[in-house]
Amino acid sequence: AVWVGPLTVWAQQAPLIHFKKLNTNTGLSDNLVNNTMLDKNGMLWMATTEGLNSYDGYSVKTWSEALDNQLKSRNIRDLYCDSHNNIWVHTPEGKAGWLNKNRLFVPVELPKDLEEKGVQYLLFQEQRGMLLVVDNHILTHSYPAKSFHKISAIPNDWIGGAINHHSTDDTGNIFLAVAAGVLRLDGGTLKASL
């Protein structure tokens, strides 16, 4: 379940969302929730092993049908809401895309040489928007384009297989928690340093 006790969720000038528990009995597609986040309208989004769900304070909506054909997986690992209120999703199988403001799914199109690698991680930087980590490359795009292009590379031995978490400071530097320690991506160049 998402929460065991009372929870109040709020966003910028959005109505409060109250609930005690969301689970499969209340419409959630699965009780195993991988990630949660709020969009710009205060909607609560939940990534589960059985699909993407949203909660508006009244009912749970399941987005599996909108994503199944494109992602080939219901297991949603990561979620992010960008500055355009697009809902980005990522699966453990390396597929990614976003629900646009009309809530239609747009799949990510990777450069040909990286198509088979799959997306490893979603990052967000205020200056550039959504960034993808694919193999050892950082990719970006110009919204609303579906295609991404490489902007920098991280030495292969630095990531060590997985990025566990990330954070961004006020100047746009991105810090990645990885098996080799903490990597810093320069906010301007996105070049990596340990």
Side-chain angles (χ1 to χ4, degrees):
V2 174
W3 189 256
V4 186
L7 175 68
T8 301
V9 180
W10 63 92
Q12 301 171 355
Q13 300 176 0
L16 292 176
I17 295 177
H18 299 279
F19 64 89
K20 287 190 177 197
K21 188 176 191 179
L22 293 176
N23 59 22
T24 54
N25 294 332
T26 58
L28 202 59
S29 59
D30 192 37
N31 288 333
L32 180 53
V33 177
N34 295 322
N35 206 332
T36 62
M37 56 126 244
L38 291 170
D39 70 15
K40 307 288 185 222
N41 300 322
M43 178 88 68
L44 177 64
W45 292 84
M46 297 152 282
T48 77
T49 57
E50 286 298 321
L52 180 64
N53 299 252
S54 62
Y55 181 70
D56 62 4
Y58 302 100
S59 62
V60 174
K61 180 174 180 175
T62 302
W63 295 84
S64 298
E65 286 185 33
L67 306 178
D68 282 354
N69 291 336
Q70 301 290 333
L71 294 177
K72 310 291 188 235
S73 173
R74 288 189 174 188
N75 188 0
I76 307 297
R77 179 173 60 192
D78 296 320
L79 278 177
Y80 195 84
C81 181
D82 68 18
S83 58
H84 300 283
N85 208 29
N86 295 310
I87 308 303
W88 288 79
V89 297
H90 175 233
T91 71
E93 296 81 15
K95 301 292 185 183
W98 68 93
L99 287 171
N100 64 21
K101 62 184 176 184
N102 298 320
R103 298 304 178 235
L104 300 173
F105 186 72
V106 180
V108 163
E109 293 179 4
L110 296 175
K112 294 276 186 222
D113 62 325
L114 295 177
E115 280 179 348
E116 291 185 22
K117 301 288 184 181
V119 176
Q120 291 169 286
Y121 202 77
L122 301 176
L123 301 171
F124 184 79
Q125 184 192 45
E126 202 62 46
Q127 298 91 319
R128 287 190 174 91
M130 189 55 62
L131 304 169
L132 305 178
V133 177
V134 179
D135 197 21
N136 66 322
H137 299 281
I138 306 291
L139 287 77
T140 188
H141 75 113
S142 299
Y143 178 79
K146 294 191 298 186
S147 60
F148 280 71
H149 60 276
K150 299 175 196 174
I151 55 175
S152 70
I154 301 170
N156 284 328
D157 58 338
W158 286 12
I159 292 181
I163 296 172
N164 300 315
H165 186 71
H166 81 279
S167 60
T168 307
D169 69 15
D170 292 340
T171 63
N173 295 315
I174 299 172
F175 302 91
L176 305 176
V178 297
V182 177
L183 297 178
R184 176 185 167 273
L185 300 179
D186 179 86
T189 64
L190 292 182
K191 300 289 183 203
S193 62
L194 275 175

